[in-house]
Amino acid sequence: MPFPSPRSQDLQQRFEELKAAARETLEEVIASANEVGWGTREVLGALVAAAHSIEDANSADPDPVDDPSIGDAVREQIGHGEQFD
């Protein structure tokens, strides 16, 4: 589900808009998971854990788009004694 564009420039209002959109999306994800047999509490636990994992990754590398591509990293290692599967 695509998120709506922000309608406000006010930071608090933007947060409230985003929170409402995120809640709607999460409710859809939970309903979809419930339909196939997952419990709401276990889905919520998994979503929270996934959010923390993403938060940790973002803290470690807040702008991964600036990182070299995997292909570049592999090319840089060629000839330096590394072994690849």
Side-chain angles (χ1 to χ4, degrees):
M1 170 186 171
F3 271 59
S5 298
R7 289 180 262 144
S8 174
Q9 296 302 315
D10 176 70
L11 292 178
Q12 183 61 34
Q13 184 61 35
R14 287 172 61 96
F15 177 74
E16 293 302 321
E17 291 173 20
L18 184 55
K19 187 169 68 171
R23 181 183 176 108
E24 184 177 324
T25 299
L26 289 173
E27 287 173 347
E28 290 178 18
V29 168
I30 292 167
S32 176
N34 289 160
E35 288 175 6
V36 296
W38 295 102
T40 298
R41 285 192 186 271
E42 62 187 334
V43 174
L44 287 170
L47 290 171
V48 168
H52 284 299
S53 176
I54 291 169
E55 183 178 40
D56 292 345
N58 186 61
S59 293
D61 189 0
D63 201 1
V65 91
D66 291 338
D67 295 347
S69 71
I70 297 298
D72 291 342
V74 170
R75 261 194 281 333
E76 289 174 14
Q77 293 177 4
I78 293 174
H80 295 281
E82 287 80 4
Q83 301 232 344
F84 299 96
D85 293 331

